[in-house]
Amino acid sequence: MTEDEHDMIKEVHDFLFKPPLEGKSSRAEQLDEIMSAVRAGKMGTRILLWLAGVVAAVSAILVQFKGRGQ
């Protein structure tokens, strides 16, 4: 493993497992909570994730159209 690869793995580890703010849960814990809610079948969470995907798709389409107009 090269030094660059080692540094990239360390950055990913720090991003996932070190909390962004002192006393808060890490991103890995937050992702685990989201996935647990989805697996439990909570309809509100599924709707929220679906809507987030729709918003991302519409945003990407708008950026594409605005970028071509220039």
Side-chain angles (χ1 to χ4, degrees):
M1 180 182 306
T2 67
E3 188 65 30
D4 288 339
E5 292 171 334
H6 183 268
D7 291 342
M8 286 190 304
I9 291 172
K10 183 172 177 4
E11 288 174 15
V12 170
H13 179 271
D14 291 346
F15 178 79
L16 287 174
F17 295 105
K18 288 189 178 178
L21 298 173
E22 194 68 31
K24 298 290 182 178
S25 58
S26 68
R27 289 179 181 93
E29 291 170 343
Q30 293 171 1
L31 289 171
D32 188 44
E33 290 172 7
I34 290 170
M35 293 307 296
S36 294
V38 170
R39 279 189 225 113
K42 294 180 182 174
M43 188 55 71
T45 303
R46 288 182 181 205
I47 291 170
L48 179 66
L49 289 174
W50 185 84
L51 287 175
V54 169
V55 169
V58 169
S59 299
I61 290 169
L62 290 175
V63 167
Q64 279 292 73
F65 283 127
K66 287 182 180 180
R68 291 183 183 194
Q70 294 179 350

